Amino acid sequence: MPALTGLRIVAALWVVAFHFHFTALPGVEAVTDRLGLLITQGALGVDLFFVLSGFVIAWTYLDQLGPRLRLRDAGGFVWARAARMWPAYAVVFHLFGVWLVARAVLGSGEQIAYQAVQPELGVGAWLEQVFLVQLWTEPFLDGASWVGPTWSISAEWLAYLLFPVLALVFFRLRRLPFAVLAAGSLLCAAPVAAAFVVVGSPYYPYSWLVRILGGFSAGVLAMLAVRRLRDRDAGSDRLGASASSTATVLVVAVPLGLPAGAVAGDGLHGLVVLLFPVLVGALALADRGPAYRLLSRPAMVHGGHASYALYLIHIPMFELLWYFVDLEVLPRSGVAVHVVALAVFLGTLPVAHLLFTLIERPARRWMRALPGRASAAPAGPAMPAARSGAEPVDTRAARRDPETSVLPAVVPDPATSVLPAVVAPRAPGEASAGTAHRMLERLTAARASGDVSAADVSADLLTVALLRGDGAGSGTDLFTPAAPDPGTPTGADRVGRLRAIQLAARAVEGGGGRGGSVPAPRATRAMPAGGSRSGAERCGRAGRRRDDVHGSAATPIVAASGAAARRRRRPSHGS
């Protein structure tokens, strides 16, 4: 879901812009006055993060953790989330902690951080920060964390620890109708929206708990609603088109809804929170449109991956700027200070990139690879189950007898398979058709659907099948000999069938050059009684081309594939 990853950087930049507007510079104040609520309500980007987190976590882990509570799976999930969150967080909060201690020891005032409530420095506070539990006993956000915005990381860590238990409930809601799941998602987001209307802001005692549980649950239910909608309208192009149009409309509606709500009445702008689950669900189903294309661009996707690092690093960089402005090392007006401020604002992006590539990603991989720390394997709903009959390919057996050899089963998964699975029905008691026969049916479906990845091989094999049979739709078995075989086919019968196919493949090639054969092991020297061949037929010295005999043991699939490969290797001297 690249569009959802791209949406993460949008939410992160929204929060960064919100915090930057506290910079006491005339230019920043002028921009804030022009953009209004689009900047001053940037804290809602955190609520968008919570919805995104619930959606993605449920999409990835709900099917594994939901059926029953298993300590191994739950522990693996928690470890995977710790590997994702903790390394970069630990680096940033320790470095900034050194800065806070230096200000407390060397500074002349009581203010050590630009927060309404000053954070406590001590061993107990440090341990709370290390284990990400600093917010759990605090009714308000301010002063709870050394790095101000990391209160939301503490809140999200609580949601992760609760998810293995909550998954038991959410998993059992998965079969509810789409309308019920969608309504439940909106109801979970409603308390945050209602706080704007009733209280005037989303800040009240333990509002952080309402925001994380409500937003996270809204994301989980939105994922279940998306899955129900996708299963109900599977294969319909209208679903992707409708979702793409909805996503594009909502991307515009959110920034326009903030000032429109403020004009309509006090606190009504907070109702845009109700659009977050709908936006996330629409982008998950979208496959086209301006919003989808924009958010799916490689730069946006990479920014989404680095958004967590951006969220961590921007406040320490801003506090350094504010500190030097307060000390009047930088003037409070003029072009120079505005250029420096803009450089700091834009500089958060490359610093976040470095933090992500040098710390966050390598540390996450290292932690997840530790012995005995195998994390819960993602079990997204989009992965189809493999067929129970699939077996590894036995190349030697396939070259000897295509009708009795086992070929791999092709599953209908566009991400992992090349050909669609098409299995012809058979009457009760009828013997199972040869796997090579089923492969021809799959190739027929591939050619009919215009699958260019199998065009060369399917064209060759279908032509051979038509030449060997009575024409399209006749039902003649490609591997049935001209005369009925009442008993178990002998080695001579099998070689005879393959020989006929070999000659047909050469006729398709036009008779020139080597034809459609590929080198293959010689036919067996000792044949059963009644099916022996002469020495001339075995060694190829009866006036026949050498590749006629030595190619007779190759399957039609190997022959056609080899011919196609040789055609691709021929140099085009005219180009």
Side-chain angles (χ1 to χ4, degrees):
M1 295 178 288
L4 292 186
T5 305
L7 185 61
R8 291 178 60 86
I9 188 61
V10 175
L13 287 173
W14 198 9
V15 176
V16 171
F18 166 71
H19 287 142
F20 190 72
H21 97 275
F22 293 106
T23 303
L25 294 177
V28 176
E29 294 176 359
V31 172
T32 302
D33 291 339
R34 285 185 174 274
L35 297 179
L37 294 176
L38 186 60
I39 299 296
T40 59
Q41 295 300 319
L44 292 177
V46 175
D47 298 282
L48 180 55
F49 264 119
F50 289 159
V51 175
L52 268 169
S53 180
F55 189 100
V56 174
I57 291 297
W59 182 276
T60 309
Y61 292 102
L62 185 62
D63 286 339
Q64 181 180 6
L65 301 177
R68 67 176 183 271
L69 183 61
R70 292 184 291 262
L71 293 181
R72 178 180 179 84
D73 290 341
F77 165 76
V78 171
W79 182 257
R81 302 321 300 162
R84 171 72 174 84
M85 297 173 58
W86 196 81
Y89 164 80
V91 170
V92 171
F93 113 78
H94 277 106
L95 290 177
F96 193 66
V98 172
W99 169 258
L100 295 181
V101 171
R103 288 196 63 181
V105 173
L106 304 177
S108 56
E110 296 182 356
Q111 183 180 21
I112 60 174
Y114 289 92
Q115 299 188 45
V117 178
Q118 296 302 295
E120 296 182 4
L121 299 179
V123 176
W126 175 77
L127 288 175
E128 290 180 349
Q129 308 286 324
V130 167
F131 291 102
L132 283 170
V133 298
Q134 67 268 25
L135 186 63
W136 294 5
T137 58
E138 298 292 334
F140 293 99
L141 316 177
D142 292 314
S145 302
W146 290 3
V147 183
T150 57
W151 69 265
S152 64
I153 300 175
S154 177
E156 195 155 353
W157 180 240
L158 176 62
Y160 291 157
L161 294 179
L162 294 176
F163 182 72
V165 178
L166 296 177
L168 301 175
V169 179
F170 286 122
F171 184 77
R172 283 151 182 81
L173 303 178
R174 68 191 187 282
R175 301 194 185 280
L176 291 176
F178 164 77
V180 175
L181 294 170
S185 178
L186 295 179
L187 285 176
C188 289
V192 178
F196 281 91
V197 179
V198 177
V199 182
S201 74
Y203 301 109
Y204 51 88
Y206 292 100
S207 62
W208 64 268
L209 188 60
V210 176
R211 294 173 71 181
I212 179 59
L213 294 182
F216 193 88
S217 300
V220 175
L221 291 175
M223 189 281 297
L224 292 176
V226 163
R227 186 191 295 185
R228 290 292 289 171
L229 192 62
R230 186 195 59 184
D231 294 342
R232 187 185 69 185
D233 299 336
S236 174
D237 185 66
R238 292 183 302 175
L239 178 60
S242 300
S244 302
S245 300
T246 302
T248 301
V249 170
L250 291 178
V251 166
V252 178
V254 170
L256 294 181
L258 289 170
V263 172
D266 292 338
L268 292 181
H269 62 277
L271 296 179
V272 298
V273 176
L274 298 176
L275 301 180
F276 292 166
V278 185
L279 173 62
V280 171
L283 284 174
L285 292 170
D287 56 5
R288 70 200 76 175
Y292 175 81
R293 288 195 297 269
L294 174 63
L295 296 175
S296 299
R297 290 182 178 274
M300 298 294 289
V301 173
H302 177 74
H305 290 308
S307 60
Y308 177 64
L310 177 63
Y311 188 79
L312 286 172
I313 202 65
H314 75 277
I315 276 295
M317 294 180 65
F318 290 173
E319 290 223 6
L320 288 174
L321 171 66
W322 298 337
Y323 178 75
F324 288 118
V325 169
D326 284 347
L327 286 183
E328 297 185 351
V329 174
L330 294 172
R332 292 185 177 271
S333 62
V335 176
V337 68
H338 285 87
V339 171
V340 173
L342 181 61
V344 171
F345 178 81
L346 298 177
T348 57
L349 294 173
V351 173
H353 168 76
L354 293 176
L355 180 63
F356 170 71
T357 55
L358 300 181
I359 304 291
E360 180 185 341
R361 184 168 57 187
R364 179 174 73 243
R365 293 173 177 172
W366 176 78
M367 288 182 65
R368 298 187 71 162
L370 288 177
R373 294 293 183 180
S375 60
M383 294 297 296
R387 294 189 180 183
S388 59
E391 297 181 15
V393 180
D394 186 348
T395 305
R396 294 182 180 179
R399 291 172 68 86
R400 287 196 302 269
D401 186 2
E403 192 166 17
T404 59
S405 303
V406 177
L407 299 179
V410 182
V411 297
D413 180 12
T416 59
S417 64
V418 176
L419 304 176
V422 179
V423 180
R426 61 178 187 271
E430 181 183 353
S432 175
T435 52
H437 194 87
R438 292 200 300 269
M439 181 62 75
L440 286 178
E441 292 173 343
R442 298 174 201 167
L443 290 170
T444 303
R447 192 179 188 189
S449 63
D451 189 348
V452 296
S453 61
D456 292 339
V457 179
S458 64
D460 290 341
L461 290 179
L462 289 175
T463 304
V464 173
L466 292 175
L467 289 173
R468 182 67 179 88
D470 296 333
S474 64
T476 302
D477 191 348
L478 175 64
F479 300 100
T480 302
D485 186 4
T488 303
T490 64
D493 296 328
R494 292 171 178 167
V495 173
R497 298 180 197 177
L498 295 174
R499 173 70 182 143
I501 296 172
Q502 181 69 33
L503 293 174
R506 185 174 297 109
V508 174
E509 289 287 330
R514 286 183 50 106
S517 62
V518 293
R522 294 189 178 187
T524 54
R525 298 181 181 275
M527 308 297 289
S532 61
R533 311 183 81 180
S534 65
E537 288 175 322
R538 283 200 300 270
C539 67
R541 296 176 182 175
R544 292 159 34 174
R545 292 185 349 196
R546 181 175 182 271
D547 63 326
D548 286 358
V549 172
H550 294 287
S552 64
T555 70
I557 294 177
V558 175
S561 300
R566 284 194 300 276
R567 288 198 301 272
R568 288 193 293 272
R569 287 197 295 268
R570 291 173 183 170
S572 54
H573 300 290
S575 59

